[in-house]
Amino acid sequence: MDIKELVQLKQEAENHLINELLPFWIMRMTDEKNGGYLTHFDEKGNDTGEDEKSLIAQTRCLYTLSSAHRAGYGNGELAEIARHGVDFLLNKMWDNQHGGFFWMLDRKGNVKNNQKIIYGHSFAIYSLSEYTLATGDKRGVEYAEKVFDLLQKYGADTMYGGYWEMFQRDWTLCGPGSQGGDRKTLDVHMHLMEAFTTLYECTGKEVHRRKLLEVIDLLLNRIIHPEYKTGVPQFYKDWSVAPQIKFDIIWGWDRFSEEGQKGNATDNTCYGHNAEFAWLLNHALEILQDDVENYKGLFRIIYDHTIDNGVDYEFGGVFVEGPHSGGVYDREKEFWQQAEVLIGLLDAVILLGNEKYWEAYKNVHRFVFDKVVNKGVGEWYPLLSRRGEPIWTHMGHSWKINYHTVRAMVQSIKRMEKLSK
């Protein structure tokens, strides 16, 4: 590894984070009139006026601000904006009757969808725990623990393990099929792992440690492919593989076909999720003080699969997905997958030390900074063609927010600092 080159890439990431990404959001996100965060912006960074505030966008914004403040950015300003978001979450999004957070509000804070969706609640635990770690404000961990307890009461499947994911307002499980009541997903359980990791870091409580270990065990032994160690997207209640279908309430649905079911519905894996799972697992092991040496073989399989199949060595960047055994189905480039693979490949360099991971990292880094970043605006294009032409051009909406982009820079800089010593 060329240390000069490493330092140059780190400086590029720092400049982007400090002078582009964070200012983009600091200047736009605070809703002074109604509370919470504005999250819908067009290609030029203008507010689109979309009348919604989703649980997922509000909590991800809170995580972004809290984690960046905790990492030393913003001179205290980010903590103040984070506090503003917590006020809205607790005063407007919390259901005082049944507990938990409503899925969707309008800008003024009126409820548009009162369902309890575990995907959103995983980010509530994650962001509120991070907020307390970053600021010392105990309201964060108080409500993170409340959500955790609700998940154990209503969400835990005590027969087959794991968590149900789609509920009505009163925590009645939703129906089957597109309502999602009979499905379990990699996405939710991976995000519960990151949420429980940060909750345990915040509280040190044995019950949080135990539930974190349980969800890690599920991910390793039920959710990732037994041979290829790639993520399997959807399951039935007994963990038999289910076709990947569209739910009535879903995040990131726009990448599916109109028929409501993915092509290759039982044989597709997402390169971004695989890399994200690996680095989040590594972080969980660190918080648990577990020996990473026991997992290096697993990490090598995941990262080798990612760079052998997911990285585009002709045009740069990371493909969307392909079959478990290798290859590519979808050659477009999603912003969040680039972000997660950046962090994961730097983890691979640190853990496994092979030059090929560094070369793959440089490939994705260049693609991001040359093609994905919207020059002069500061945020990232959400979806691009294989060659890097923008297909979607919005800078923010309920599913495309600052969480992946800012986190990728904060975490990548931290890893490059470690490598440069």
Side-chain angles (χ1 to χ4, degrees):
M1 180 187 293
D2 183 335
I3 295 299
K4 267 189 179 178
E5 186 178 40
L6 171 64
V7 170
Q8 185 179 357
L9 295 181
K10 181 170 78 75
Q11 289 172 345
E12 190 173 18
E14 287 170 334
N15 177 66
H16 176 50
L17 176 63
I18 295 166
N19 297 317
E20 296 175 331
L21 263 183
L22 288 175
F24 177 92
W25 292 101
I26 290 169
M27 289 166 55
R28 292 170 172 83
M29 69 190 300
T30 305
D31 186 343
E32 300 287 1
K33 182 180 179 183
N34 299 306
Y37 304 122
L38 302 176
T39 55
H40 292 69
F41 303 101
D42 66 16
E43 183 175 10
K44 295 181 179 178
N46 299 314
D47 180 3
T48 66
E50 190 87 12
D51 190 22
E52 63 180 40
K53 287 177 178 167
S54 68
L55 176 59
I56 190 66
Q58 298 298 308
T59 52
R60 283 178 162 183
C61 285
L62 175 60
Y63 172 83
T64 297
L65 294 161
S66 302
S67 64
H69 172 72
R70 188 178 170 200
Y73 300 99
N75 298 314
E77 184 179 10
L78 301 178
E80 288 304 311
I81 306 174
R83 188 169 289 110
H84 173 87
V86 169
D87 292 342
F88 183 81
L89 264 179
L90 305 188
N91 296 332
K92 296 290 187 177
M93 300 200 88
W94 182 259
D95 182 350
N96 288 311
Q97 183 176 353
H98 296 288
F101 291 102
F102 297 119
W103 178 244
M104 186 74 72
L105 276 56
D106 66 16
R107 286 198 176 196
K108 292 181 179 178
N110 302 305
V111 179
K112 292 180 74 171
N113 185 310
N114 64 17
Q115 286 185 254
K116 305 295 165 60
I117 309 299
I118 302 308
Y119 187 82
H121 284 79
S122 71
F123 281 97
I125 295 172
Y126 189 39
S127 62
L128 288 163
S129 300
E130 184 72 22
Y131 171 72
T132 293
L133 284 164
T135 67
D137 185 342
K138 297 297 184 185
R139 291 181 302 160
V141 71
E142 176 191 349
Y143 277 81
E145 290 196 75
K146 284 183 179 183
V147 174
F148 173 87
D149 291 345
L150 285 166
L151 293 196
Q152 308 316 314
K153 181 177 181 180
Y154 295 114
D157 180 354
T158 53
M159 180 173 288
Y160 294 106
Y163 294 85
W164 304 112
E165 302 181 9
M166 305 282 198
F167 296 86
Q168 305 296 345
R169 179 185 178 183
D170 63 357
W171 293 97
T172 302
L173 188 64
C174 288
S178 65
Q179 293 183 57
D182 64 341
R183 299 295 179 108
K184 296 170 182 173
T185 65
L186 161 69
D187 214 358
V188 162
H189 287 79
M190 182 179 72
H191 289 305
L192 286 173
M193 175 177 70
E194 73 181 350
F196 293 174
T197 298
T198 307
L199 179 62
Y200 174 59
E201 182 183 4
C202 192
T203 69
K205 290 185 177 180
E206 178 57 30
V207 66
H208 300 148
R209 176 186 177 88
R210 191 168 74 247
K211 293 298 177 180
L212 171 58
L213 289 169
E214 281 181 17
V215 80
I216 289 172
D217 182 70
L218 269 174
L219 284 158
L220 292 177
N221 296 305
R222 293 285 192 179
I223 297 178
I224 64 173
H225 194 284
E227 180 180 356
Y228 301 109
K229 308 305 179 186
T230 44
V232 180
Q234 283 185 24
F235 298 85
Y236 294 114
K237 63 181 180 181
D238 63 356
W239 297 106
S240 57
V241 176
Q244 193 176 0
I245 63 167
K246 175 184 178 180
F247 298 132
D248 295 335
I249 293 178
I250 192 58
W251 40 94
W253 161 251
D254 7 31
R255 299 292 294 118
F256 283 66
S257 67
E258 290 302 313
E259 288 74 37
Q261 177 169 304
K262 278 215 171 187
N264 313 297
T266 57
D267 184 24
N268 61 79
T269 191
C270 166
Y271 300 113
H273 270 153
N274 296 341
E276 185 179 14
F277 165 67
W279 83 255
L280 287 173
L281 174 60
N282 187 42
H283 178 60
L285 296 172
E286 181 186 333
I287 298 301
L288 288 164
Q289 298 184 320
D290 200 346
D291 188 356
V292 72
E293 291 294 327
N294 298 326
Y295 298 84
K296 279 189 174 179
L298 169 67
F299 289 135
R300 184 172 284 106
I301 293 169
I302 294 172
Y303 287 124
D304 282 354
H305 189 280
T306 301
I307 67 172
D308 291 345
N309 298 284
V311 175
D312 184 349
Y313 291 99
E314 185 176 356
F315 296 106
V318 182
F319 296 124
V320 172
E321 65 187 18
H324 294 285
S325 58
V328 185
Y329 289 143
D330 188 337
R331 295 180 184 274
E332 291 176 342
K333 313 284 172 66
E334 292 177 321
F335 84 103
W336 70 267
Q337 302 213 35
Q338 317 305 311
E340 298 307 324
V341 170
L342 286 176
I343 306 170
L345 290 178
L346 287 173
D347 253 17
V349 174
I350 293 167
L351 287 170
L352 306 172
N354 194 307
E355 186 72 17
K356 66 184 180 181
Y357 304 120
W358 175 240
E359 292 301 318
Y361 170 82
K362 288 191 295 181
N363 170 301
V364 181
H365 180 110
R366 262 300 33 90
F367 182 79
V368 166
F369 283 89
D370 293 346
K371 300 289 188 180
V372 186
V373 174
N374 184 358
K375 308 284 192 303
V377 176
E379 247 295 338
W380 298 16
Y381 287 111
L383 181 69
L384 301 98
S385 70
R386 183 182 180 187
R387 292 174 178 265
E389 299 103 348
I391 297 171
W392 297 342
T393 59
H394 52 267
M395 293 293 99
H397 65 45
S398 283
W399 321 123
K400 194 272 179 187
I401 205 66
N402 42 42
Y403 148 78
H404 287 289
T405 54
V406 173
R407 185 172 74 167
M409 293 302 99
V410 170
Q411 294 297 328
S412 294
I413 291 163
K414 185 185 296 185
R415 284 158 177 75
M416 284 191 276
E417 285 174 348
K418 189 171 183 178
L419 284 165
S420 63
K421 289 175 182 175

